[in-house]
Amino acid sequence: STVAANLAVALGADARVCLLDADIYGPSIHIMMGVNTSPPLVNGKIVPADRHGIRFMSIGLIANEQSPVVWRGPLVGQMIQKFMVEVAWGDLDFLVIDMPPGTGDASLTLVQSASVSGAVVVTTPQDVALEDVRRGAEMFRKLNVPVLGVVENMSHFICPCCGERTEIFGRGGGDEISE
C-alpha cells in the first residue's frame, strides 16, 4: 500500500493519476491519504476522494471502520468490479491499483475484467514473502500481464541513535525474484 500510494503521488506530478485500493479485507489507502469521509454520489456514480492531486477510492471510505469486511470471494470480486465501473474516475493517464498479497479473488477479478498494462510486484526480503511473490508473479505471467518490476520493501532499518543499518528481514529477496 505504501508503494502504491507513493507511486501514484510520484506519477501524479506529471500525469492524471487515480488510485484504487483493491485490498477489500485490509484497506489502508484512505488512511495513508489522510481521508476518512464517505464519498458522495453524483448522477449515480461514486465520486472518489482527492488528496495530493490524486483521486482515490477505498472500501475504507465506505465500510464502518469498527467492523471487518467479512465476505466470501464472489462479493470481493463484485466490489472490485463496482469500483471499476461505478466510480467517476474521469480522465486519467494511470490507474494505480493496490492489490492484496497472493493470487486470490481480487487479483483474478481485476485481471479478468479490466485491461491491465502491467504489474509492479512488491516484496519483503524474507523467504515466506518471496514464496507468495513468486506465485503472484507467475499468476500475472499466465494471465499475460507483464511484470514491470520488483520493489523490495522493508529491506532494512537505520537506527536513529547510532545510524547503524540492520537488515531485519534478510537481504536480496527483491534481486532474487527479479532474476
Side-chain angles (χ1 to χ4, degrees):
S1 297
T2 304
V3 172
N6 284 318
L7 178 62
V9 171
L11 286 169
D14 297 317
R16 297 167 297 183
V17 179
C18 294
L19 176 60
L20 171 58
D21 188 349
D23 191 345
I24 303 300
Y25 297 128
S28 60
I29 293 296
H30 66 292
I31 297 167
M32 291 181 181
M33 299 299 269
V35 176
N36 62 6
T37 56
S38 295
L41 282 174
V42 175
N43 297 326
K45 292 269 191 178
I46 302 167
V47 177
D50 191 312
R51 186 62 157 236
H52 308 294
I54 305 300
R55 290 169 287 165
F56 71 94
M57 179 51 57
S58 171
I59 196 162
L61 296 172
I62 300 169
N64 178 345
E65 291 210 19
Q66 306 307 317
S67 61
V69 175
V70 184
W71 292 348
R72 292 198 183 273
L75 291 176
V76 171
Q78 288 174 14
M79 181 54 72
I80 289 171
Q81 288 177 331
K82 181 177 183 125
F83 281 159
M84 296 297 290
V85 174
E86 295 182 22
V87 172
W89 294 111
D91 292 332
L92 57 99
D93 299 310
F94 297 99
L95 177 60
V96 175
I97 303 173
D98 178 32
M99 303 294 297
T103 58
D105 291 303
S107 302
L108 287 172
T109 297
L110 181 69
V111 172
Q112 291 173 342
S113 62
S115 175
V116 179
S117 300
V120 174
V121 179
V122 180
T123 187
T124 55
Q126 71 266 45
D127 291 339
V128 172
L130 296 173
E131 190 58 35
D132 286 344
V133 168
R134 277 188 194 91
R135 287 188 178 116
E138 184 59 26
M139 177 200 70
F140 286 123
R141 280 191 200 94
K142 285 183 176 184
L143 296 171
N144 298 316
V145 174
V147 175
L148 303 174
V150 176
V151 173
E152 184 178 276
N153 199 11
M154 296 191 286
S155 60
H156 64 273
F157 165 76
I158 306 250
C159 177
C161 298
C162 68
E164 182 178 322
R165 175 184 168 134
T166 303
E167 294 166 341
I168 299 170
F169 300 115
R171 76 180 310 183
D175 288 337
E176 182 183 322
I177 291 295
S178 293
E179 290 175 17

